[in-house]
Amino acid sequence: MNTEILPGATLGVLGGGQLGRMFCVAARSMGYRTLVMDPDKNSPAGHIADIHLQADYQDHSALTKMAEQCQVITTEFENIPADSLRFIARTTPVYPSADILEIAQDRHIEKQFAQQAGLSPVPYFVIQTEADCVLAQEAVAFPAILKSNRLGYDGKGQVLVERTEELLQAFHSLNNVACVLEQQIQLRCEISAIVARNHKGEKQCFPVSENQHKNGILHVGIVPARVDEPITRQAQKLAFQLADALDYIGVLAVEYFVDNESRLYFNEMAPRPHNSGHYTKDACVTSQFEQQVRMICGLPPGSTQLLSPVVMVNMLGELWPPQWRVILQHSEIKLHLYGKKHARAGRKMGHFNVLNADIESAIKTAKQVFEALSSPVSQNG
Ligand code: ADP
Ligand code: MG
């Protein structure tokens, strides 16, 4: 990339979910035009984009149209076929690259890559056959978690294996697909570092978020994370290392586990803005979505300075319809909805950020509001 892509240009997004939507909002407010490609006519990002190209990700004539109309293209989820990116990249720059997407699409390849870059994945063993299930019993301490190598998200494609004897059955329950078996870490907490890097190798890292999950789905993010500073510094340093090793352009999220001995394990990466970075929309000088615009356009990274401690709370379909007043009566809450018509349990419908100079007060408000929304009385509001 030799030239900067400036406001007025058209930015393309493959994928029309909430991440694409928030990217389009940021891009449009910065004066860019946006084109979203997604097969769903009701996609959250399609509604916000200047142009919604309603087509399948493998539709070469639609990909050609997209490439012709956009100066640069990005993706908002990992499972876009890498070959579609290769097809576009013949004429138009795409970030992340097809090669990076392929790494992120496969847990085993991703762990190997992270390890080579100096990060420490959780102890794991590759399971491809029933025979591997026998070998794994020596290699990994139980309880362990069996995860399908591909297509997992929000805890899907994962089975907790308490005892060695349960492994074979767990493998069958995932239809014998290629998996990794990971030791279950006794978690003190989970954290993530979101790093941005451009083609010149200029980098910035957002403040580290402390992430609490429920049923494998992110529930709450707390920033600043309540862990010792050497741990957050290390998480940021390793995220930079990984971004450099990938020669990454864009925003990259790195998820970690911290165990009871304060050991930091690499969990997984996401080659895009991340749910645990939604707090940046209200609490940082630059949001992760503005940062993605800057990176793919060849601009310098914006400041990632934290303006206020913040708690981000995910709103899933089971809260629907929420009692809006419970949220909006709080002057320090910022509400973000994704424009999804149909609520389903586990479906990410929106989030809210609680900003307060005192993080403990923000945590308390977040908890109170979430509990009030979850109580049966408030469900019909
Ligand atoms: P996904 O791709 O669905 O986000 P993750 O591998 O991040 O998959 O797992 C989802 C959540 O499940 C994690 O954030 C964590 O709470 C829990 N989990 C996953 N693997 C482990 C592990 N090895 N030890 C402890 N908890 C785990
Ligand atoms: Mg995860």
Side-chain angles (χ1 to χ4, degrees), residues 64-79:
T64 303
K65 232 190 250 173
M66 183 182 198
E68 282 168 0
Q69 292 185 48
C70 298
Q71 274 70 58
V72 62
I73 291 171
T74 186
T75 59
E76 62 111 50
F77 81 118
E78 287 82 301
N79 292 322

Side-chain angles (χ1 to χ4, degrees), residues 169-197:
Q169 197 193 342
F171 184 51
H172 292 160
S173 78
L174 294 176
N175 298 320
N176 296 17
V177 294
C179 288
V180 291
L181 182 71
E182 278 181 29
Q183 189 184 321
Q184 187 183 32
I185 301 297
Q186 293 308 310
L187 297 171
R188 182 150 76 132
C189 67
E190 295 184 56
I191 58 175
S192 58
I194 297 178
V195 62
R197 185 179 182 278

Side-chain angles (χ1 to χ4, degrees), residues 5 25 35 45 64 83 93 127 178 207 243 263 279 287 305 307 329:
I5 296 169
V25 170
L35 182 153
T64 303
D83 281 341
I127 308 269
R263 270 188 297 249
Y279 78 88
S287 80
Q305 190 195 330
L307 301 172
Q329 71 183 353

Side-chain angles (χ1 to χ4, degrees), residues 293-366:
V293 172
R294 282 172 165 271
M295 296 302 94
I296 67 170
C297 290
L299 299 166
S303 162
T304 53
Q305 190 195 330
L306 190 68
L307 301 172
S308 166
V310 55
V311 176
M312 191 277 321
V313 182
N314 260 348
M315 298 173 72
L316 303 183
E318 46 269 46
L319 295 180
W320 246 244
Q323 206 174 35
W324 301 114
R325 277 207 55 100
V326 169
I327 305 168
L328 295 170
Q329 71 183 353
H330 289 271
S331 58
E332 73 273 35
I333 289 188
K334 304 270 283 187
L335 176 65
H336 302 272
L337 297 181
Y338 307 149
K340 296 183 184 177
K341 281 211 184 92
H342 302 291
R344 277 193 312 273
R347 190 174 197 208
K348 291 174 180 168
M349 304 297 288
H351 67 272
F352 59 86
N353 288 328
V354 186
L355 292 109
N356 193 303
D358 173 35
I359 190 67
E360 292 306 326
S361 302
I363 292 170
K364 204 167 139 204
T365 304

Side-chain angles (χ1 to χ4, degrees), residues 104-263:
Q105 283 170 351
D106 186 295
R107 288 190 192 275
H108 178 213
I109 295 172
E110 181 179 280
K111 284 178 196 298
Q112 279 180 318
F113 193 94
Q115 196 152 20
Q116 278 160 16
L119 291 79
S120 307
V122 175
Y124 73 97
F125 191 81
V126 178
I127 308 269
Q128 283 168 328
T129 61
E130 292 187 356
D132 292 330
C133 292
V134 179
L135 298 173
Q137 303 184 0
E138 300 297 315
V140 172
F142 287 75
I145 300 174
L146 188 67
K147 302 183 179 181
S148 67
N149 258 350
R150 303 178 74 85
L151 299 173
Y153 70 99
D154 286 344
K156 293 189 174 62
Q158 301 194 9
V159 187
L160 175 65
V161 186
E162 299 272 5
R163 294 172 300 130
T164 52
E165 308 85 75
E166 294 167 10
L167 179 56
L168 198 59
Q169 197 193 342
F171 184 51
H172 292 160
S173 78
L174 294 176
N175 298 320
N176 296 17
V177 294
C179 288
V180 291
L181 182 71
E182 278 181 29
Q183 189 184 321
Q184 187 183 32
I185 301 297
Q186 293 308 310
L187 297 171
R188 182 150 76 132
C189 67
E190 295 184 56
I191 58 175
S192 58
I194 297 178
V195 62
R197 185 179 182 278
N198 67 13
H199 64 295
K200 290 185 189 160
E202 293 172 327
K203 296 183 284 284
Q204 283 286 346
C205 192
F206 286 101
V208 168
S209 173
E210 173 186 341
N211 304 324
Q212 297 176 355
H213 293 77
K214 266 192 190 168
N215 307 319
I217 306 180
L218 184 64
H219 169 44
V220 164
I222 299 168
V223 187
R226 296 165 302 169
V227 292
D228 296 339
E229 215 197 304
I231 295 177
T232 55
R233 264 209 306 274
Q234 181 70 357
Q236 293 181 319
K237 179 176 157 257
L238 293 172
F240 281 143
Q241 247 169 259
L242 189 57
D244 281 336
L246 290 163
D247 196 13
Y248 196 83
I249 296 176
V251 165
L252 171 75
V254 186
E255 293 181 44
Y256 302 93
F257 298 138
V258 182
D259 75 3
N260 288 328
E261 274 86 55
S262 293
R263 270 188 297 249

